[in-house]
């Protein structure tokens, strides 16, 4: 008996020792060379901007607790910056990446080593360029494994498969957005959707452009699904197989069994797939979810899930029954079914009280534009303010007390209340400014994001840098501050970094402002960000040195 107590004590000590070692973490070095590469898709070739000549870009692997150093060297004519989407960046805002928000861009010929530690996160995130529309081709996965000797809170999968769902334009992507900015209208929609950079057999040039993954009967696979598309929320489905969602945005969820998933640009979803068929070939498919009358690429990108003993020449490929493009009810039910795992080890720390209440309207409007073809252009705004990008980074201005770069008078609510989802107001003026919201360290924020119908109702996937937030409520029509809070989930709501505000509806999120710095919040439809649907929070330092932003690294790019 004494012996077994000894053994248990020894075991506990080993585990404590190794987790103390792991808490220190390893340092992992990556080198990213940004350069041009000729790539062929849909039987056409064009040069694209890549990292290390790869499309999609290289995967970053790390364990929770590790420090990651990515030295980025820019060899192209464009200015470049890279964002580590969803990484909390505790006190390391200098490594967050959005150009002119936390850093000046890395100019041609220059290098910058992003240096950050992954704390309290495990699962799938991703990285992408955060300047111009370069993220169309500069993107890749971040796979964060649990610390050594820690297990997943679900059965260990046989294999893990990363699937990046993207978009492809035959034209130069910068030319597409520049043309739109000149005309004042919407940019051309993409020519194809892609899975791991490949459109699949429903497009031209199928054999070269198809991603194939082989599976064995009776095994379970973990799919790490990432929406890297610029402008489309997506449905995702595997023919004749169910998925079990276990994690979103690097936070574990209660297992959710579903036929298809809904995923907004910026979001990640880990789902288990049980290969329960004997043999055969099945389409993995993705297509746009769009329930507003807006032009989108309505074609379906496919990859092939192939059982090892199937014959690719004779076996029929099963088509998925993916929800139709405007299936609002499927998407709503999916979003409402997601829950944080909220276990003893992974509690959902939902703020139960709120220090600051914010109501932000998000939407599109027309703005005058003397240089545009029609004298007007589509603009986008938050609380009627279309964000103007500064000339130096906001974080530098904040840290070095440089005045005249931004103000901290972003309004807590829209200037004039109206029926946000009814007939649009007569004079939908959009004002402009570089206005931020100042938040004291460690205060709790409730932010209601309310979609508007000013120009047209549309979905807006909002992404907040520097924090995860809890999605405590959502609904259609106007948010009702008297009735809706009673229905909020303050126990196990999903925790994410990007949330889809439904078309003609609202979403309420809560977060604790425990990360000092300047943090960008913007629509993750790239076209809406370009049009101005963005703002930033300044989170003040706390009291101690551990509650203050670190000084900038020596190689921080200059403007
Ligand atoms: C791409 O191909 C064109 C035409 O062959 C060539 O001129 C160009 O140098 C190539 N670019 C790169 C980056 O390889
Ligand atoms: C990053 O790479 C560049 C180019 O190779 C090099 O000059 C620079 O010293 C590197 N930075 C760090 C921090 O290693
Ligand atoms: C990365 O940051 C850590 C902590 O601030 C620092 O000790 C280390 O020297 C940095 N490494 C590089 C290569 O900048
Ligand atoms: C956008 O589409 C229009 C119509 O098909 C075409 O004429 C134009 O060249 C396209 N623009 C770009 C930049 O490819
Ligand atoms: C601009 O005018 C053209 C016709 O001249 C029209 O097709 C286009 O839709 C207009 N764009 C906007 C944003 O109103
Ligand atoms: C809602 O989604 C859950 C989880 O996938 C599913 O079990 C349920 O049948 C769905 N309900 C409807 C009405 O579609
Ligand atoms: C897809 O878009 C094309 C071109 O806009 C249109 O002709 C077609 O009807 C659309 N298909 C579906 C299924 O909506
Ligand atoms: C969804 O789109 C189909 C055509 O693609 C149309 O027949 C149907 O009315 C639309 N449903 C809704 C709710 O808009
Ligand atoms: C900026 O101002 C704050 C408050 O006045 C001060 O504590 C801090 O040292 C200043 N920072 C710099 C870099 O001057
Ligand atoms: C807002 O307008 C919509 C559409 O006309 C209407 O259904 C809704 O009742 C209105 N809401 C309020 C609060 O007036
Ligand atoms: C933030 O506030 C919470 C609740 O008051 C407190 O428990 C926590 O220790 C504070 N965190 C820091 C870093 O001060
Ligand atoms: C690159 O960034 C620098 C610093 O902000 C700026 O001066 C320059 O004009 C930019 N270059 C291009 C091509 O946009
Ligand atoms: Cu948007």
């Amino acid at each position: 008996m004494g012996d077994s107590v000894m053994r248990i004590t020894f075991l506990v000590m080993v585990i404590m020792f190794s987790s103390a070692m792991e808490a220190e973490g390893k340092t992992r070095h990556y080198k990213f060379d940004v350069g041009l590469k000729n790539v062929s898709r849909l039987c056409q070739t064009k040069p694209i901007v890549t990292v290390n000549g790869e499309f999609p870009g290289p995967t970053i692997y790390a364990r929770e607790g590790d420090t990651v150093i990515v030295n980025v060297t820019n060899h192209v004519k464009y200015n470049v910056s890279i964002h580590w989407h969803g990484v909390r960046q505790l006190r390391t805002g200098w490594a967050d990446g959005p150009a002119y928000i936390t850093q000046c861009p890395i100019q041609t010929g220059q290098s910058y080593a992003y240096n950050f530690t992954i704390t309290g996160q495990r699962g799938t995130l991703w990285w992408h360029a955060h300047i111009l529309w370069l993220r169309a081709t500069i993107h890749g996965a971040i796979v964060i494994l649990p610390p050594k000797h820690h297990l997943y809170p679900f059965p260990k999968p046989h294999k893990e498969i990363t699937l990046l769902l993207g978009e492809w334009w035959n034209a130069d992507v910068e030319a597409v957005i520049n043309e739109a900015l000149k005309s004042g209208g919407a940019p051309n929609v993409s020519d194809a959707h892609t899975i791991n950079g490949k459109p699949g057999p429903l497009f031209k040039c199928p054999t070269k452009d198809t991603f194939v993954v082989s599976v064995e009967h009776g095994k379970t696979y973990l799919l790490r699904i990432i929406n890297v598309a610029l402008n489309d929320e997506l449905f995702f489905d595997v023919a004749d197989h169910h998925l079990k969602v276990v994690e979103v945005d690097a936070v574990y969820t209660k297992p959710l069994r579903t036929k298809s998933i809904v995923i907004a640009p910026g979001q990640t979803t880990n789902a288990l797939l049980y290969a329960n068929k004997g043999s055969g070939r099945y389409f993995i498919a993705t297509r746009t979810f769009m329930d507003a009358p807006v032009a989108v690429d309505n074609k379906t990108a496919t990859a092939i899930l192939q059982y090892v003993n199937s014959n690719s020449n004779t076996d029929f490929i099963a088509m998925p029954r993916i929800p139709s493009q405007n299936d609002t009810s499927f998407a709503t039910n999916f979003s409402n079914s997601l829950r944080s795992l909220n276990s003893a080890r992974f509690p959902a720390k939902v703020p139960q009280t709120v220090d600051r209440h914010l109501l932000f309207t998000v939407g599109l409007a027309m703005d005058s534009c003397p240089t545009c073809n029609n004298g007007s252009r589509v603009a986008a705004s938050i609380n009627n303010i279309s964000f103007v990008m500064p000339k130096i980074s906001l974080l530098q201005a904040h840290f070095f007390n440089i005045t005249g770069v931004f103000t901290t008078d972003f309004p807590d609510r829209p200037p004039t209340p109206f029926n946000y989802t009814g007939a649009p107001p007569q004079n939908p003026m959009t004002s402009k400014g570089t206005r931020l919201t100042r938040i004291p360290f460690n205060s709790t924020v409730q932010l209601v994001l309310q979609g508007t119908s000013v120009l047209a109702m549309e979905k807006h996937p909002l992404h907040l840098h520097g924090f995860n937030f809890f999605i405590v409520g959502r609904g259609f029509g106007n948010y009702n501050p008297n009735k809706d809070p009673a229905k909020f989930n303050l126990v196990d709501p999903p925790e994410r970094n990007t949330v889809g505000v439904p078309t003609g509806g609202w979403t309420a999120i809560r977060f604790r402002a425990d990360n000092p710095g300047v943090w960008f919040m913007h629509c993750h439809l790239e076209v809406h960000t370009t049009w101005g649907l963005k703002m930033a929070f300044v989170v003040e330092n706390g009291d101690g040195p551990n509650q203050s932003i670190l000084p900038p690294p020596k190689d921080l790019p200059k403007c």
Side-chain angles (χ1 to χ4, degrees):
M1 188 185 158
D3 194 43
S4 71
V5 169
M6 282 269 290
R7 219 176 309 160
I8 289 168
T9 310
F10 176 71
L11 210 80
V12 167
M13 280 178 63
V14 167
I15 290 170
M16 282 172 64
F17 178 69
S18 54
S19 57
M21 292 287 288
E22 285 305 324
E24 293 299 312
K26 259 180 136 169
T27 299
R28 296 175 189 260
H29 293 265
Y30 286 87
K31 182 80 179 81
F32 276 18
D33 283 294
V34 177
L36 287 182
K37 164 109 183 173
N38 281 332
V39 168
S40 301
R41 292 291 183 274
L42 310 176
C43 304
Q44 294 186 40
T45 302
K46 67 165 182 175
I48 61 169
V49 186
T50 65
V51 164
N52 300 348
E54 294 173 41
F55 175 69
T59 298
I60 288 194
Y61 292 92
R63 284 191 190 276
E64 183 183 340
D66 286 353
T67 294
V68 177
I69 296 178
V70 189
N71 189 354
V72 179
T73 301
N74 179 5
H75 304 281
V76 298
K77 65 176 178 179
Y78 303 107
N79 281 336
V80 166
S81 77
I82 295 187
H83 169 52
W84 317 94
H85 185 114
V87 174
R88 289 281 324 266
Q89 300 288 3
L90 294 166
R91 303 169 57 222
T92 53
W94 307 108
D96 191 39
Y100 301 107
I101 306 299
T102 58
Q103 68 167 96
C104 292
I106 307 168
Q107 297 181 42
T108 310
Q110 293 181 351
S111 297
Y112 176 44
Y114 291 89
N115 180 353
F116 55 88
T117 299
I118 296 175
T119 308
Q121 298 182 282
R122 74 297 297 173
T124 307
L125 292 172
W126 64 299
W127 56 267
H128 61 81
H130 214 304
I131 185 166
L132 306 168
W133 275 29
L134 294 179
R135 79 174 174 88
T137 55
I138 304 192
H139 59 245
I142 303 178
V143 170
I144 311 167
L145 300 169
K148 253 188 200 154
H149 314 298
H150 289 220
L151 302 175
Y152 290 128
F154 45 83
K156 187 178 189 307
H158 175 60
K159 267 194 186 137
E160 305 192 353
I161 302 160
T162 301
L163 298 169
L164 294 94
L165 316 181
E167 285 184 271
W168 178 265
W169 278 261
N170 287 329
D172 179 275
V173 179
E174 296 308 322
V176 169
I177 180 57
N178 287 338
E179 178 185 67
L181 290 175
K182 226 177 258 170
S183 80
N188 289 357
V189 298
S190 55
D191 296 289
H193 277 272
T194 55
I195 297 178
N196 287 348
K198 298 182 171 183
L202 305 187
F203 288 87
K204 285 199 288 180
C205 309
T207 40
K208 265 184 63 200
D209 291 356
T210 302
F211 181 76
V212 180
V213 47
S214 66
V215 296
E216 285 174 56
H217 168 77
K219 302 259 160 86
T220 298
Y221 296 81
L222 180 67
L223 308 184
R224 297 178 177 270
I225 305 155
I226 309 172
N227 184 342
V228 307
L230 265 76
N231 296 320
D232 287 329
E233 199 160 335
L234 298 167
F235 288 117
F236 173 91
D237 194 298
V238 181
D240 296 347
H241 291 75
H242 272 84
L243 298 167
K244 195 191 273 175
V245 176
V246 291
E247 179 245 296
V248 296
D249 294 7
V251 182
Y252 292 132
T253 64
K254 292 197 171 71
L256 174 65
R257 196 178 130 89
T258 183
K259 186 68 200 72
S260 310
I261 68 160
V262 181
I263 185 165
Q267 293 183 331
T268 56
T269 301
N270 278 11
L272 297 171
L273 176 138
Y274 177 56
N276 62 347
K277 301 287 183 277
S279 66
R281 303 166 78 215
Y282 301 83
F283 270 136
I284 299 170
T286 182
R287 76 158 168 219
T288 306
F289 163 45
M290 172 47 82
D291 55 1
V294 174
V296 289
D297 167 24
N298 61 13
K299 295 180 276 306
T300 303
T302 50
I304 297 171
L305 181 87
Q306 175 167 305
Y307 281 75
V308 284
N309 55 350
S310 60
N311 183 333
S312 61
N313 295 320
T314 56
D315 277 1
F316 162 80
I317 306 184
M319 285 294 290
R321 278 173 307 170
I322 196 161
S324 66
Q325 193 171 315
N326 55 4
D327 197 341
T328 310
S329 64
F330 181 89
T332 303
N333 180 42
F334 179 79
S335 300
N336 290 346
S337 303
L338 275 176
R339 295 279 184 279
S340 284
L341 179 59
N342 192 28
S343 65
R345 265 196 62 211
F346 302 103
K349 294 181 182 161
V350 191
Q352 299 294 314
T353 59
V354 173
D355 299 323
R356 184 81 168 270
H357 284 272
L358 302 173
L359 172 65
F360 287 2
T361 56
V362 290
L364 308 178
M366 289 310 285
D367 189 18
S368 71
C369 173
T371 60
C372 294
N373 301 357
N374 303 12
S376 64
R377 60 182 275 263
V378 183
S381 59
I382 304 181
N383 278 353
N384 204 38
I385 301 163
S386 198
F387 192 81
V388 176
M389 290 301 265
K391 297 277 181 281
I392 67 162
S393 88
L394 298 174
L395 185 58
Q396 282 167 291
H398 168 59
F399 188 86
F400 294 107
N401 300 323
I402 303 165
T403 55
V405 179
F406 64 84
T407 56
T408 53
D409 60 348
F410 194 90
D412 283 11
R413 44 203 59 255
T416 37
F418 58 99
N419 182 347
Y420 306 113
T421 52
Q426 287 300 303
N427 185 13
M429 250 312 291
T430 288
S431 72
K432 297 187 190 69
T434 311
R435 297 163 68 179
L436 276 57
T437 295
R438 186 180 284 280
I439 310 274
F441 179 76
N442 204 29
S443 49
T444 54
V445 179
Q446 176 176 301
L447 168 57
V448 177
L449 295 159
Q450 169 73 59
T452 76
S453 56
V454 171
L455 181 61
M457 290 198 272
E458 216 191 304
K459 283 187 277 62
H460 299 288
L462 267 290
H463 171 45
L464 176 61
H465 292 227
F467 299 95
N468 280 346
F469 49 72
F470 293 93
I471 304 164
V472 297
R474 71 198 289 281
F476 290 97
N478 300 326
Y479 170 69
N480 183 331
N482 301 317
K483 288 194 179 145
D484 291 321
K487 290 175 268 172
F488 283 176
N489 176 358
L490 301 178
V491 178
D492 61 356
E495 180 181 347
R496 313 199 71 138
N497 61 58
T498 304
V499 62
V501 178
T503 302
W506 57 272
T507 295
I509 64 175
R510 285 190 182 184
F511 63 97
R512 179 178 291 281
D514 58 359
N515 191 11
V518 176
W519 303 109
F520 205 20
M521 188 179 76
H522 60 95
C523 184
H524 221 282
L525 302 182
E526 205 56 39
V527 59
H528 293 177
T529 308
T530 304
W531 285 339
L533 211 165
K534 50 197 171 190
M535 57 81 69
F537 292 97
V538 184
V539 177
E540 292 169 350
N541 285 337
D543 290 331
N546 291 336
Q547 300 177 357
S548 300
I549 179 146
L550 292 167
K554 289 201 175 56
D555 59 346
L556 185 74
K558 295 183 176 53
C559 281

